[in-house]
Amino acid sequence: MRTFACFTICLAATFSGTFASLDAAPPQEVLDAENARIAAVEKATRSAVCVFAGAAGGGSGVLISKDGYAVTNYHVADPAGSFMKCSLSDGQLYDAVIVGIDPVGDVALIKLQGRDDFPAAEIGDSDQVEVGDWCFAIGNPFLLATDMQPTVTWGMVSGVGRYQYPSGTLIEYTDCIQTDASINPGNSGGPLFNRDGQVIGINGRISIEKRGRVNVGVGYAISMNQVMNFLGYLKSGRVVDHATLGATVSTDSEGEVIVTNILDTSDAYRRGLRYGDELVSFGSKPVTTVNGFKNALGIYPRGWRVPVGFFRGGERHDIIVRLAGVHSREELLAKIQKSVAPPSPDGSQPEDHHEEETKPVSDELKKLFQARSGYANYHFNLEQRERTWQAWKRGDDSSADVWKVAGQLADGDAAQIELSPQKVTASVAGRDSTIEIEGDLTSKLEPVGSGGLLLALHAWQRLQLQGPEKFGEVSYLGTAPLDSIDERFDVLVGLYDAIETRFYFAPQTGDLVAMEMFPEADSDPCELRFQEYDDFEGVRLPTKIIIRRGDQIYNILHGLKWTLSSSEPKDAA
């Protein structure tokens, strides 16, 4: 009896201690972590977008600016057409219009209407993401958000720098983030956030069971740094292409990444890259494997200039290479007519519902769309072109179309140039050059070795005097770097008499900082860098111009003094 009583007392004491521990408050650090997680999710949820496309289904997206720009997947936006409906967690339904598409990278840019104070997500640096980081996805899986409240799933980063092959489609996922946060059909296009509520990726692909389209814990997000590289191009309203180096690589027996083929028409070849060179860096990333090279290459648009490092004979070389496009314009447009991105690597294709439903579109919304070949929405190209043009600080409008300038070359020799609509003349270091602005301009590349300095100056003056509507054909390209990959400029592209020109504007000041003139394809342009602006008779003009061709400086004009006059005689009083 005494033994039983003792056992009863001990058992009661044990359970009493257990219940007491269950009643104890959790540690403060646990509560703090929970509150931080709730706050991050609450902040992030406000920027999450649920995309509804009627019979075409829908998906997810994320707001990236207060004026309504939002990112989603191409395979979400394409079936929806030019217009769609979107909801936010505020319970409101908003009209949205397509802006630009990147069918290779599976990214689309849309713009929500109705506000100028949308809750934009904070952009994170996806290059800083590490395996083991906490993360969470927000979206509209299985289109459950009929109450306009998105779904949140929590997990961790399972892998970084993942490369996903096209799987028979146009889509190629490079440098993507792998996560075990639950991502299902309908999450496509939605944001992947880090633990602080910063968006680090756009969810796109999932690995699924063969028995049904259900996530098995392996999802892939397009890195946000890739999206931001393409953002300027997407805002141009274009159908955007990815880049190629113009060379192929493979791994040799020692594990080095070696150039195995290179086009002699590529910029990489002109800059000095050759067969057999060891590639060690591309853009901002080291290259140690072939997949690593594909990841580094895949995050850049065509036309960008990026640093490339390679070894030859034990010596390192660093060059800046202008990247070509993966596809020709016609090839890319033809491919997107046949291909919509699959939501998973198994190759399954979503149904095409383009013609199943005609959604009513208001007249105001229709004004935000303009069809044109090569563009997802030409309206936004015109909008960005006008913004860039108006921001250019040209000074007063002037009818003076004869510009005379005198200055010095780098070696101190005198230089004089006269620009007019009919011809350009120059006296540089005692040598005279003249080009008439008529006939085939592509062959008028004086002075010799400059790549067409006089023609480039004429194109520059023509744009400044006549504007984008009369220059020829002028469009907004997007944002692109010059010397540093981290500094981007607004770029206008001008086509005039078979000559392509590119004008680079500093977004902070609106100043024209550089231009390139390409007299023919697959050749180095004549490049002008405009510096040290001053006011001349009310017009802002540079007092220093650096002339480059390829990776060499042809010469420098400095101490420039401009005199402006009109070729048309003034009417008598």
Side-chain angles (χ1 to χ4, degrees):
M1 186 69 178
R2 182 179 301 172
T3 302
F4 176 75
C6 180
F7 172 77
T8 302
I9 293 171
C10 292
L11 188 63
T14 300
F15 277 104
S16 175
T18 301
F19 291 140
S21 64
L22 290 175
D23 291 337
Q28 187 60 43
E29 55 266 27
V30 174
L31 295 175
D32 290 343
E34 181 182 45
N35 290 332
R37 182 170 66 249
I38 292 172
V41 169
E42 182 182 6
K43 178 183 75 170
T45 299
R46 291 194 290 268
S47 65
V49 177
C50 296
V51 180
F52 300 100
S60 308
V62 61
L63 284 159
I64 59 169
S65 69
K66 291 183 178 181
D67 55 351
Y69 283 107
V71 177
T72 184
N73 281 145
Y74 166 66
H75 78 257
V76 170
D78 181 70
S82 304
F83 307 98
M84 61 211 75
K85 297 286 186 179
C86 297
S87 71
L88 302 180
S89 62
D90 62 4
Q92 299 298 312
L93 196 64
Y94 298 91
D95 286 318
V97 61
I98 193 70
V99 178
I101 59 174
D102 169 15
V104 176
D106 197 18
V107 175
L109 186 68
I110 62 177
K111 191 173 186 185
L112 278 64
Q113 305 298 311
R115 292 172 59 177
D116 58 7
D117 62 345
F118 282 101
E122 182 180 351
I123 308 298
D125 183 356
S126 55
D127 282 346
Q128 301 303 313
V129 174
E130 296 180 330
V131 174
D133 285 346
W134 293 116
C135 61
F136 59 97
I138 301 182
N140 187 17
F142 305 109
L143 305 184
L144 293 174
T146 54
D147 61 352
M148 303 185 187
Q149 299 304 307
T151 297
V152 181
T153 55
W154 188 270
M156 75 172 187
V157 174
S158 310
V160 295
R162 296 300 197 210
Y163 178 78
Q164 289 285 299
Y165 287 91
S167 299
T169 73
L170 184 64
I171 306 302
E172 181 182 36
Y173 274 46
T174 61
D175 199 37
C176 53
I177 301 167
Q178 179 186 335
T179 179
D180 69 349
S182 185
I183 298 173
N184 289 291
N187 275 112
S188 291
L192 183 70
F193 292 96
N194 63 18
R195 65 184 301 168
D196 297 321
Q198 298 172 320
V199 60
I200 54 174
I202 301 299
N203 301 315
R205 274 185 163 177
I206 57 174
S207 292
I208 60 177
E209 288 186 345
K210 294 181 179 179
R211 291 172 295 177
R213 294 176 63 219
V214 179
N215 178 271
V216 294
V218 182
Y220 303 96
I222 302 158
S223 72
M224 205 60 197
N225 286 9
Q226 174 180 324
V227 173
M228 298 307 290
N229 286 345
F230 280 81
L231 183 60
Y233 277 47
L234 290 167
K235 284 187 175 182
S236 75
R238 295 177 181 272
V239 178
V240 179
D241 195 12
H242 280 237
T244 175
L245 181 61
T248 57
V249 299
S250 65
T251 305
D252 68 5
S253 58
E254 298 179 358
E256 297 173 342
V257 180
I258 303 299
V259 176
T260 53
N261 197 8
I262 184 168
L263 297 174
D264 58 9
T265 57
S266 67
D267 193 61
Y269 187 88
R270 290 195 295 273
R271 302 285 74 80
L273 188 66
R274 293 293 184 270
Y275 173 87
D277 289 340
E278 179 194 356
L279 198 64
V280 293
S281 67
F282 188 91
S284 58
K285 298 178 181 293
V287 173
T288 57
T289 65
V290 173
N291 269 11
F293 168 67
K294 291 180 179 180
N295 280 332
L297 176 62
I299 66 173
Y300 296 116
R302 71 178 299 166
W304 268 37
R305 299 201 291 195
V306 301
V308 176
F310 63 92
F311 274 96
R312 180 189 301 154
E315 182 180 355
R316 178 171 177 130
H317 302 266
D318 289 285
I319 56 178
I320 302 292
V321 174
R322 188 190 310 274
L323 303 176
V326 174
H327 309 88
S328 69
R329 179 177 178 272
E330 293 74 17
E331 181 185 11
L332 181 61
L333 294 179
K335 282 190 173 184
I336 65 174
Q337 298 301 320
K338 302 176 182 178
S339 175
V340 177
S344 64
D346 69 348
S348 61
Q349 295 278 355
E351 297 179 14
D352 186 354
H353 297 276
H354 275 98
E355 305 300 328
E356 288 190 17
E357 179 179 0
T358 302
K359 301 182 290 292
V361 179
S362 68
D363 291 339
E364 287 301 311
L365 200 59
K366 288 179 181 178
K367 293 178 182 178
L368 301 179
F369 180 80
Q370 185 172 342
R372 184 168 181 170
S373 178
Y375 293 85
N377 188 345
Y378 186 60
H379 167 85
F380 284 93
N381 194 278
L382 294 175
E383 188 176 89
Q384 293 295 329
R385 187 187 77 174
E386 182 64 15
R387 176 190 62 80
T388 304
W389 170 252
Q390 292 300 332
W392 183 10
K393 296 180 179 178
R394 304 178 301 279
D396 299 334
D397 290 333
S398 173
S399 60
D401 58 0
V402 178
W403 297 359
K404 297 179 180 179
V405 62
Q408 292 182 319
L409 300 174
D411 61 4
D413 284 346
Q416 292 183 331
I417 301 174
E418 180 176 327
L419 308 174
S420 73
Q422 294 78 32
K423 67 178 181 179
V424 182
T425 61
S427 177
V428 178
R431 296 183 179 181
D432 296 335
S433 302
T434 300
I435 62 169
E436 301 286 342
I437 309 303
E438 61 182 14
D440 180 14
L441 297 181
T442 61
S443 61
K444 300 181 179 183
L445 304 181
E446 289 82 357
V448 175
S450 69
L453 169 62
L454 302 190
L455 190 57
L457 289 171
H458 165 72
W460 164 59
Q461 184 199 41
R462 181 181 177 88
L463 179 66
Q464 183 147 336
L465 291 178
Q466 300 197 15
E469 294 184 356
K470 296 181 180 179
F471 174 89
E473 181 181 343
V474 177
S475 61
Y476 179 75
L477 177 66
T479 54
L482 280 170
D483 300 320
S484 170
I485 203 168
D486 295 322
E487 186 177 12
R488 287 103 189 254
F489 300 88
D490 287 308
V491 184
L492 294 182
V493 176
L495 295 176
Y496 164 57
D497 196 69
I499 296 170
E500 179 179 328
T501 52
R502 295 189 178 189
F503 301 90
Y504 292 75
F505 298 86
Q508 298 84 1
T509 65
D511 280 337
L512 176 65
V513 297
M515 73 162 290
E516 299 167 328
M517 189 277 297
F518 299 81
E520 58 184 359
D522 300 326
S523 66
D524 287 330
C526 176
E527 182 179 343
L528 307 181
R529 301 291 182 94
F530 302 105
Q531 299 179 0
E532 301 175 12
Y533 277 84
D534 204 349
D535 184 280
F536 295 91
E537 302 177 38
V539 180
R540 292 187 74 245
L541 296 169
T543 63
K544 182 178 180 180
I545 301 176
I546 301 174
I547 308 155
R548 299 167 57 113
R549 192 179 186 201
D551 49 11
Q552 302 295 320
I553 293 180
Y554 171 78
N555 219 317
I556 299 175
L557 298 170
H558 64 98
L560 301 179
K561 303 293 184 182
W562 297 84
T563 303
L564 282 59
S565 62
S566 177
S567 60
E568 297 293 333
K570 294 183 179 180
D571 295 335

